[in-house]
Each structure stands twice: as C-alpha cells, then as structure tokens.
C-alpha cells in the first residue's frame, strides 16, 4: 500500500543547514564526554555545544581554554571539526566518495554548488578535487615548518603535534590554539609577536585559506592559461588593499600605545601591525592583547571582521567581492555612471542586488544581536559589538567577553557563528518558502532618494 505521506524534498540550502547542525551536535556530544575533559569530569553540554559550534563554523571563540581544558582526545575532536567545517561537510563526503569510487549524483552536485558558492554545476567535481588536493598540500607544508620551529621550544613530539594541529586550525581560519599550558590561558600567539617564521607561515595560511579555492586554482593554473578571471582579480586586489591599509591604520593608532605596539622594537611593531591586519579577515589568532588596543583600532577591526574573507573560502563575513561591489556602486553613482565596471567588465544587476541584500541582512543581524546582548551582558557596547561581529564573521577574536557570557549570551553568539558560516542568504533560502516566478510586473514608480 502506498504511503499517503509525501516524500519531503529538501533544497540544497536546507541540506547544508541540517548537515552542519548534525555535525555540531555530534561534536558537542563527543566534547561533553569525560574522556574529552582534562579534569576527567564532563564539560557542561552548553559549553561543549558552544565549542563544537565554534570549531565547525571555524570561528575560534572559546568559553574554555582549548589547551588546558581538553585532553588529546578532545583536541583531536576539535581539529577534526575544524577540518570538516572549513572544507565543508559535502567536500569531506565527496572525498570519501572518491575513495570508494562512488559516482557523484546530480543532487550532490547541486549541494556542492551551493556549498562552494558557485554560479553553475559545470566543473564542480573537478573543483572539489582541487580543493582537497590544495588544502592538504598547503596544510602539510605549513605543518612541517611549524613542527621544525616548535621542536626547538617544545621538543620533537609536541612540536610535530602542535605543527599539524595549528596548520589545520590556521588554514581553515579557525583561530583555535593549544598554547594555554605554555604561555597562559587564552594567550594565542602573543609570545611569538616578533617571530618572523611563525608570523609568515601563520599569515600565509590565513590568507591562502581566506582567498577561496577558485582563486588558488586560478593562480596555480596561470602559467598554463596566462590569464586570471575577473573574480580572482577582484579578490586579490581587495585582499591586498585591505591588508596594507589595515596594517597602516593599526600601526599609526597603536604606535605609542605601551600596552600593544609601544613597547616593541621597530620590526616587532611591523610584524604585529601586519598580523592584526590579516587576522580580522576571519582567522582568530592574535599576537597582541586586543582588549588593550585603542578604541579606534578596535572599531576598525570590527569593520575588517564584517568584510571578512572571500567567497568559496574557509572564512566568513560579507566577503571581499561584496564589499568591492558596494564601493564600485558608490564610485559609479558619484561619477554619474550607470554601470559598475571592474577591470573593464560590467557587473550584472543581479550581482549588485545580491551584494546589497547580503550586506543589509548582515548589518541588521549584527546590530540586532548587539542591541539584545547589550541588555543581557554587563559590558561596554563596543566590546559586545566586537564579539557579535567576530561571531558573524567567523573570526574568533575577542576583547575578553566570551568567557563572561551569560547562558543567553552563549546561545546568541553560537547562533551568530552558525549564521556567519553558512551565510545569511543560504539561511534565508533554507528557512524561507519556495518562491515561484512572478507572471507579471508592476508599473515602475519613482521616489526621491537622498
């Protein structure tokens, strides 16, 4: 007898949302086990859920110090969540499918297209192969360099373990670290503020993870194709400008601040300013005390965190291409031009509308949550706004608020991390009703703007 119940058909955005939620829940259960806790006692489920959300959404905000609060089992669970969350659970599923020589179905290709933020399914499986190959290669090279460097400080065994662990964390822009037992809880990379090797490798991982796999593929194939796509040109230009401008702003504002750059020598100041410019692009690691920075610097970092990384990457935020489109629209309007032109290409109206929509949803979300938390958390508003933006941008930087969050605050920040990782539009498509094409259009009207 046929069932009277209709089969529930999930859209690709809905599958992504449910898939990430399932991974987070599994991670929370594992992290709440006594074997995962350094004390031998179960971590509260809320704290385990918060940590699993932060790891899977590659954020880095933590309510307990990773290095001192978790055993090796717990740390391995966290780094696996980071790898799965950074590359995407569909990418990891595809990896297993490749290993089993299983065919990728049309439905799976649609989900991969949504996960990688691609405009079409053409070449999506080939892109996933490249994503896996590039990611593992970059992480392996960085892990070897880290292991050699940290072997001098920590010994060979711990140096190798720390090298592999942090290479995965930083490439996936997670920002988790294990230096709590060595340099103090929640210390991140502050003891390596002027170390050129740690700075260069860490920033290299953060930037390469934040550029997006399409851009990395374009760069590696440039020698053969002798050209770069418009997307790659925009991403590279925006990333370079934001890093340079960010470093200059932080260097200028913090130069005389004795609690941050003021006490460092000249090359330490340069490394620290450059690192703090790179890390708000959704990385989460830091080499100076962010809570001691001047308010101007902290607010500027909020702007960088809101912009975030690039599409199809391990990072969050509204993305560099969205920000560039908005700047292009402003310049075009000021110059009296109808079209936004980037590198001699005109952007389509649908791209512009999507950029505006994404930015407005993100802005409303950040402002609303910050306003709500300002009534439940007894802390300055700038600190709350910093935390909320960090969660939305899946950055992981904090001015010290995370450990003081109330139960309600932890839930709200966890939801922000989840929304930031999946993207506001993906969540809107997943939660909203299916739309049908309109059969008519209303007459055009005019209103006064400005």
């Amino acid at each position: 007898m046929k069932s009277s119940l209709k089969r529930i058909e999930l859209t690709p955005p809905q599958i992504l949302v449910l898939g990430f939620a399932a991974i987070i829940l599994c991670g929370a259960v594992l992290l709440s086990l006594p074997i995962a806790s350094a004390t031998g006692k179960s971590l509260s489920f809320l704290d385990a859920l918060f940590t699993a959300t932060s790891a899977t959404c590659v954020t880095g905000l933590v309510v307990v110090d990773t290095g001192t609060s978790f055993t090796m089992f717990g740390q391995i669970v966290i780094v696996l969540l980071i790898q799965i969350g950074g590359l995407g659970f569909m990418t990891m599923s595809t990896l297993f499918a490749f290993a089993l020589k299983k065919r990728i179905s049309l439905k799976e290709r649609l989900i991969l297209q949504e996960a990688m933020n691609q405009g079409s399914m053409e070449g999506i499986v080939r892109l996933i192969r490249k994503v896996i190959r590039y990611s593992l290669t970059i992480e392996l090279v960085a892990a070897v360099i880290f292991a050699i460097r940290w072997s001098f400080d920590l010994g060979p065994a711990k140096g190798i373990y720390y090298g592999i662990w942090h290479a995965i964390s930083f490439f996936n822009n997670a920002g988790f670290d294990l230096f709590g037992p060595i340099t103090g809880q929640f210390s991140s990379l502050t003891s390596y503020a002027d170390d050129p090797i740690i700075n260069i490798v860490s920033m290299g991982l953060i930037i390469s993870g934040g550029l997006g796999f399409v851009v990395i593929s374009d760069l590696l194939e440039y020698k053969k194709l002798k050209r770069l796509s418009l997307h790659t040109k925009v991403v590279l230009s925006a990333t370079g400008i934001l890093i340079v401008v960010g470093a200059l702003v932080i260097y200028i504002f913090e130069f005389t601040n004795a609690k941050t750059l003021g006490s460092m020598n000249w090359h330490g100041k340069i490394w620290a300013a450059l690192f703090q410019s790179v890390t708000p692009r959704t990385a989460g690691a830091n080499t100076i005390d962010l809570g001691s920075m001047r308010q101007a610097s902290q607010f500027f970092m909020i702007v960088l965190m809101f912009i975030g990384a690039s599409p199809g990457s391990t990072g969050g935020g509204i993305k560099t291409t969205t920000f560039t489109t908005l700047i292009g629209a402003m310049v075009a309007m000021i110059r009296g031009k109808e079209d936004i032109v980037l590198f001699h290409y005109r952007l389509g109206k649908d791209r512009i509308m999507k950029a505006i929509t994404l930015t407005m949803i993100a802005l409303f979300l950040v402002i609303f949550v910050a306003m709500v938390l300002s009534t439940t958390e007894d802390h300055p508003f700038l600190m709350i706004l910093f935390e909320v933006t960090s969660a939305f941008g899946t950055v992981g930087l904090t001015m010290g608020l995370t450990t003081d969050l109330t139960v309600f605050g932890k839930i709200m920040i966890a939801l922000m991390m989840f929304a930031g990782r999946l993207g506001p539009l993906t969540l809107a498509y997943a939660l909203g009703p299916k739309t049908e094409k309109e059969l008519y259009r209303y007459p055009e009207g005019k209103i006064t703007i400005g």
Side-chain angles (χ1 to χ4, degrees):
M1 187 175 69
K2 292 183 179 180
S3 173
S4 60
L5 294 175
K6 293 182 178 180
R7 184 182 174 185
I8 299 175
E9 286 290 340
L10 297 176
T11 63
Q14 289 171 338
I15 292 173
L16 283 178
V17 170
L18 293 175
F20 268 97
I23 292 167
I24 289 170
L25 187 59
C26 291
V29 171
L30 291 174
L31 291 177
S32 64
L33 297 175
I35 192 177
S37 176
T39 62
K41 298 179 181 179
S42 297
L43 188 69
S44 73
F45 187 76
L46 179 59
D47 287 348
L49 182 65
F50 188 97
T51 305
T53 304
S54 184
T56 307
C57 298
V58 290
T59 305
L61 291 174
V62 290
V63 288
V64 293
D65 182 70
T66 310
T68 57
S69 300
F70 293 100
T71 60
M72 182 175 285
F73 172 82
Q75 293 168 6
I76 291 174
V77 169
I78 289 172
V79 83
L80 287 175
L81 290 175
I82 290 170
Q83 187 72 288
I84 294 170
L87 298 184
F89 78 95
M90 279 306 299
T91 303
M92 300 301 292
S93 300
T94 307
L95 174 61
F96 288 112
F98 289 156
L100 298 173
K101 296 183 179 179
K102 179 179 175 289
R103 181 178 172 80
I104 309 300
S105 68
L106 177 63
K107 182 79 171 180
E108 291 167 336
R109 290 169 191 260
L110 285 169
I111 300 169
L112 287 170
Q113 177 191 339
E114 180 71 27
M116 299 304 295
N117 199 17
Q118 295 299 295
S120 70
M121 287 190 297
E122 184 180 357
I124 191 68
V125 175
R126 187 167 61 251
L127 175 61
I128 295 302
R129 290 181 187 273
K130 291 178 181 179
V131 166
I132 296 168
R133 187 167 64 248
Y134 298 160
S135 301
L136 296 180
T137 302
I138 293 170
E139 288 174 353
L140 179 61
V141 172
V144 171
I145 299 173
F146 274 153
I148 295 172
R149 171 63 185 86
W150 281 325
S151 291
F152 291 101
D153 297 342
L154 311 173
K158 185 168 279 191
I160 293 171
Y161 176 63
Y162 271 48
I164 296 171
W165 206 96
H166 290 90
I168 294 172
S169 177
F170 293 166
F171 175 74
N172 289 289
N173 281 213
F176 280 80
D177 71 272
L178 301 177
F179 288 98
I182 301 167
T183 56
Q185 292 190 0
F186 311 107
S187 58
S188 192
L189 297 177
T190 51
S191 59
Y192 295 98
D194 59 353
D195 188 306
I197 295 176
I198 300 301
N199 274 275
I200 291 171
V201 178
S202 298
M203 288 189 290
L205 285 169
I206 293 166
I207 293 170
S208 59
L211 285 175
F213 300 111
V214 174
V215 174
I216 295 175
S217 176
D218 251 15
L219 291 174
L220 293 176
E221 293 183 359
Y222 177 74
K223 190 175 181 180
K224 181 173 66 176
L225 300 176
K226 299 297 182 184
R227 64 180 177 82
L228 295 174
S229 66
L230 173 63
H231 173 81
T232 297
K233 290 178 181 178
V234 171
V235 167
L236 292 177
S237 301
T239 300
I241 292 171
L242 286 171
I243 289 174
V244 172
V245 171
L248 286 173
V249 170
I250 292 171
Y251 186 87
I252 291 170
F253 279 107
E254 298 299 317
F255 186 84
T256 57
N257 187 348
K259 296 179 180 179
T260 55
L261 304 188
S263 58
M264 298 180 178
N265 52 36
W266 67 270
H267 57 84
K269 285 183 171 68
I270 294 174
W271 282 124
L274 192 58
F275 194 94
Q276 264 56 236
S277 175
V278 170
T279 195
R281 314 298 304 293
T282 82
N286 58 284
T287 57
I288 60 176
D289 180 16
L290 303 182
S292 299
M293 295 177 75
R294 293 192 168 111
Q295 288 189 352
S297 303
Q298 292 168 344
F299 185 78
F300 183 72
M301 291 184 76
I302 290 174
V303 175
L304 292 179
M305 291 191 295
F306 186 76
I307 296 170
S310 302
S313 71
T314 59
I318 63 170
K319 304 295 191 296
T320 53
T321 49
T322 302
F323 177 70
T324 303
T325 301
L326 295 177
I327 295 296
M330 181 183 70
V331 172
M333 179 62 68
I334 292 174
R335 295 178 63 188
K337 304 290 185 181
E338 288 189 10
D339 298 323
I340 300 175
V341 179
L342 301 173
F343 295 98
H344 306 292
Y345 283 93
R346 173 176 55 84
L347 295 187
K349 298 296 183 184
D350 62 321
R351 301 294 91 186
I352 301 169
M353 290 297 294
K354 187 174 182 179
I356 295 171
T357 303
L358 176 61
T359 304
M360 293 307 296
I361 292 175
L363 191 60
F364 285 143
L365 191 61
V366 169
I367 291 174
F368 174 74
V369 175
M371 288 174 61
V372 171
L373 291 185
S374 67
T375 64
T376 62
E377 314 300 312
D378 188 20
H379 289 279
F381 183 75
L382 185 63
M383 181 181 283
I384 294 171
L385 182 62
F386 193 99
E387 190 87 5
V388 172
T389 310
S390 178
F392 168 77
T394 68
V395 181
L397 296 176
T398 180
M399 291 167 57
L401 175 60
T402 316
T403 53
D404 294 335
L405 288 170
T406 61
V407 171
F408 179 78
K410 290 177 183 178
I411 294 172
M412 291 299 291
I413 293 297
L415 289 173
M416 282 297 287
M417 291 189 287
F418 188 72
R421 178 65 184 96
L422 288 166
L425 285 181
T426 299
L427 280 176
Y429 292 150
L431 300 175
K434 291 184 178 179
T435 57
E436 296 180 358
K437 188 175 181 180
E438 292 183 350
L439 301 178
Y440 57 90
R441 295 178 71 188
Y442 290 100
E444 182 178 330
K446 294 183 179 181
I447 59 173
T448 304
I449 302 294

